[in-house]
């Protein structure tokens, strides 16, 4: 049905390289929007306790007519739920809201170095995986030293690290660290939240050459780099547009032209400073 490539995780599971993100989708619009995404062909959804719309994602799943094994569902442990027990209790709450017996991927949303509980949280994640409540476990917004510490103090390498990544913040060090350690890199805000990145003249020129939009070219750039992406939109034609990125290919020159746009510029907080 779709030509989205699969990415294999170090847990042995595979998942679609392109999914659908639901950050900042109003709960009252979420079920309808996720249903549209499923109709278009998306089979991977990225939500979080923090987004307040897990129940509505669950509603879309329940009404999708798709079997559980056709879908890949990610949620994230909220910052208020760090700690061995709290992380597991939070997953139980998420599963209840989603109406699922397991999630495909459970992530620590932020490392929160000031709280210094991410190692205990990760041990709770290892237990949740043993209990079959999370098929794969991973992290988000971790930097190399947070990952080094998990490697030193625990027994499981995260399956993914979900980080802010787009042409204005290309994170070459994090990407190569992840690659060396068998961790899949997921790129959040892949089109820079729809402003700035996709207004770049160079991206517009590449898009024109392929008869595609700047958003499609930016998403295609991620795919060719090997990043896992889940752009967000509540607009039907854009949800479709963001899915239609497998019928063209960027040349090496075009990849390099986009590669030259890195400004090391974050849209979100610095994970070493964010503690809330
Ligand atoms: P994004 O880069 O996906 O941009 C989304 C915005 O871009 C939309 O709100 C819309 O305004 C615009 N847009 C979407 N499609 C477009 C198109 N085809 N043409 C023009 N404009 C378009 O940003 P995002 O939502 O921040 O990131 C995607 C997903 O990443 C989120 O939904 C969430 O699942 C995840 N995320 C995770 C974290 C984290 O800390 N782990 C943080 C932010 C986002």
């Amino acid at each position: 049905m779709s030509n989205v490539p699969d990415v294999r995780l170090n847990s042995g599971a595979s998942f679609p390289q392109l999914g659908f993100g639901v950050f900042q989708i109003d709960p009252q619009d979420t079920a309808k929007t996720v249903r549209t995404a499923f109709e278009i062909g998306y089979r991977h959804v990225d939500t979080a306790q923090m987004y307040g719309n897990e129940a509505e994602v669950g509603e879309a799943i329940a009404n999708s007519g798709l079997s559980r094994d056709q879908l890949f569902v990610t949620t994230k442990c909220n910052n208020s739920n760090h700690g061995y027990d709290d992380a597991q209790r939070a997953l139980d709450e998420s599963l209840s809201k989603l109406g699922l017996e397991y999630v495909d991927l459970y992530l620590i949303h932020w490392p929160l170095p000031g709280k210094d509980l991410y190692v205990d949280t990760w041990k709770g994640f290892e237990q949740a995986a043993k209990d079959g409540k999370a098929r794969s476990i991973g992290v988000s917004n971790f930097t190399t030293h947070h990952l080094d510490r998990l490697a030193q103090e625990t027994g499981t390498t995260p399956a993914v690290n979900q980080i802010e990544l787009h042409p204005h913040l290309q994170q070459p060090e994090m990407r190569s660290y992840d690659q060396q350690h068998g961790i899949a890199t997921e790129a959040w805000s892949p089109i820079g939240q729809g402003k700035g990145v996709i207004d770049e003249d160079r991206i517009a020129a590449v898009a024109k050459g392929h008869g595609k939009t700047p958003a499609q070219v930016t998403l295609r750039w991620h795919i060719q780099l090997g990043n896992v992406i889940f752009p967000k939109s509540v607009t039907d034609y854009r949800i479709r547009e963001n899915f239609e990125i497998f019928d063209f290919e960027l040349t090496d020159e075009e990849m390099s032209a986009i590669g030259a746009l890195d400004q090391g510029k974050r849209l979100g907080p610095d994970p070493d400073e964010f503690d809330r």
Side-chain angles (χ1 to χ4, degrees), residues 20-25 45-48 50-51 76 107-110 139-141 162-166 187-195 198 213-216 219 229-235 237-239 241-242 267 269:
F20 187 67
V22 298
F23 178 42
Q24 288 176 330
I25 301 188
V45 186
D46 183 89
T47 186
M50 198 188 281
Y51 304 166
K76 313 183 191 84
L107 303 181
I108 302 182
H109 208 146
W110 288 88
V139 297
S140 177
N141 299 302
Q162 183 179 127
I163 54 174
E164 182 184 344
L165 206 174
H166 44 71
W188 62 255
S189 296
I191 54 171
Q193 297 172 1
K195 43 190 187 285
I198 60 172
T213 66
Q216 287 174 315
L219 295 170
I229 47 174
F230 23 82
K232 168 255 174 182
S233 174
V234 289
T235 312
Y237 78 86
R238 283 181 169 168
I239 300 174
E241 177 183 321
N242 295 344
L267 296 168

Side-chain angles (χ1 to χ4, degrees), residues 113-241:
K115 277 197 181 173
D116 198 20
L117 283 171
Y118 64 85
V119 174
D120 285 345
T121 305
W122 186 247
K123 290 178 181 167
F125 272 49
E126 292 180 315
Q127 187 57 48
K130 279 194 196 113
D131 293 342
K133 295 178 182 175
R135 293 265 165 109
S136 302
I137 52 176
V139 297
S140 177
N141 299 302
F142 274 46
T143 65
T144 54
H145 65 96
H146 305 126
L147 289 165
D148 281 341
R149 197 162 153 215
L150 285 193
Q152 281 152 17
E153 297 186 33
T154 76
T156 318
T157 304
V160 316
N161 188 15
Q162 183 179 127
I163 54 174
E164 182 184 344
L165 206 174
H166 44 71
H168 285 172
L169 182 72
Q170 298 189 17
Q171 304 247 35
E173 268 178 40
M174 272 317 309
R175 289 187 62 252
S176 90
Y177 180 103
D178 287 348
Q179 200 168 17
Q180 278 164 28
H181 293 82
I183 301 169
T185 300
E186 296 190 327
W188 62 255
S189 296
I191 54 171
Q193 297 172 1
K195 43 190 187 285
V197 166
I198 60 172
D199 300 322
E200 285 281 358
D201 290 345
R202 243 180 280 190
I203 294 183
V206 173
K208 198 164 175 230
H210 287 280
K212 288 282 178 181
T213 66
Q216 287 174 315
V217 161
T218 307
L219 295 170
R220 180 72 210 178
W221 170 82
H222 282 286
I223 294 290
Q224 288 183 216
L225 281 181
N227 300 333
V228 176
I229 47 174
F230 23 82
K232 168 255 174 182
S233 174
V234 289
T235 312
D236 290 8
Y237 78 86
R238 283 181 169 168
I239 300 174
R240 184 175 296 282
E241 177 183 321

Side-chain angles (χ1 to χ4, degrees), residues 264-275:
K265 192 172 118 189
R266 287 184 188 280
L267 296 168
D270 182 333
D272 272 323
E273 288 165 13
F274 186 64
D275 266 319

